[in-house]
Structure formats: C-alpha cells, structure tokens
C-alpha cells in the first residue's frame, strides 16, 4: 500500500495553519453555546490535539462510516468532526463541551471561521510589497 501526500507550494506552512486553527477554535468557543475554553493556551493545545486526531483517528472513522458518508453526500463528516471534538474535550483540561449537539454546532463554526481566516492569511501572503521609488 502506497501513501501519497500532496503538498503544493501554495499550502501554508504548519505553524500558520496551527495559528489559524488556534484562533478559529478560540473564536468559535465564544459563539457556540455549551462550549467553554479556559484561555488561548487551551485553544492551542486543542488545535494540536485536533491536528493529531485529524491525522490518526479521523481517517479510520471516515473509513468505517464510508457507506453512511456516501449516502448523506458527505454531511455525515460533520458528525465525525463532532465526535473528534468530544474526544478532544475529554482529553484537554480547560476545554469542555456539554454534549453532541454543542460539538456539532461548534465543529461547523470552527470550519467556517477557519476557512475565512485561511482565506485572509492566503490573501495576505500573496501580496507583494510596494516597490520603492527609484532615485
């Protein structure tokens, strides 16, 4: 079995993605009812844990639930995201999620906020600095 990892030159580096994830996790905790985050350090730890889970646990869950995911045209992936968030909430001190529906709404919010922040970060990274006037 071969694994192919696709990275393009336009993909932001890991530290930028981690910073964007930390900010989106932190911002969404203020909007979502039933989700409590102690501070920005807890958001950073949650972002790290979710990054590890997205590499390890999430692909296995997607594979196990592939028929349901295909039947729902991918909407079931939000349920998988909610389950991963609930698992992370059990492991990280300072991150509490009151139930499944809160985790589901929170995962949706994190996805939307993260998408917006990634677009802003990509737009800022593609800007060229102004050229100084020539004397």
């Amino acid at each position: 079995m071969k694994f192919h990892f696709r990275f393009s030159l336009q993909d932001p580096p890991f530290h930028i993605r981690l910073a964007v994830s930390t900010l989106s996790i932190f911002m969404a905790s203020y909007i979502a009812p039933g989700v409590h985050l102690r501070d920005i350090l807890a958001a950073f730890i949650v972002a790290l844990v979710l990054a590890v889970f997205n590499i390890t646990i999430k692909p296995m869950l997607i594979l196990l639930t592939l028929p349901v995911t295909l039947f729902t045209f991918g909407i079931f992936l939000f349920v998988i995201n909610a389950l991963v968030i609930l698992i992370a909430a059990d492991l990280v001190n300072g991150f509490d999620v009151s139930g499944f529906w809160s985790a589901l709404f929170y995962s949706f919010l994190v996805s939307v906020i993260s998408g917006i922040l990634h677009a802003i970060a990509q737009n800022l990274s593609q800007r060229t600095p102004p050229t100084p006037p020539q004397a």
Side-chain angles (χ1 to χ4, degrees):
M1 179 185 303
K2 289 185 178 181
F3 292 100
H4 296 281
F5 296 101
R6 294 184 315 153
F7 292 105
S8 73
L9 294 176
Q10 294 181 354
D11 285 342
F14 178 74
H15 67 281
I16 301 295
R17 288 182 288 157
L18 185 63
V20 167
S21 295
T22 301
L23 280 175
S24 60
I25 286 167
F26 191 69
M27 291 169 66
S29 70
Y30 282 99
I31 300 170
V35 177
H36 303 286
L37 198 57
R38 183 180 57 222
D39 54 8
I40 194 74
L41 179 63
F44 178 73
I45 295 170
V46 170
L48 282 174
V49 168
L50 288 178
V52 170
F53 285 175
N54 285 338
I55 293 170
T56 57
I57 295 174
K58 191 174 175 182
M60 289 185 286
L61 289 174
I62 291 172
L63 189 62
L64 289 173
T65 61
L66 190 60
V68 177
T69 304
L70 291 175
F71 182 72
T72 61
F73 300 108
I75 294 176
F76 193 74
L77 291 174
F78 282 111
V79 173
I80 293 173
N81 287 341
L83 293 175
V84 170
I85 285 173
L86 286 172
I87 294 169
D90 285 341
L91 295 177
V92 177
N93 289 332
F95 180 54
D96 298 312
V97 180
S98 64
F100 173 77
W101 294 109
S102 294
L104 186 69
F105 182 62
Y106 182 70
S107 73
F108 179 74
L109 278 177
V110 168
S111 297
V112 170
I113 294 171
S114 179
I116 292 169
L117 291 178
H118 276 293
I120 291 170
Q122 186 175 16
N123 188 13
L124 289 175
S125 69
Q126 291 178 350
R127 291 180 136 182
T128 58
T131 57
Q134 299 210 355

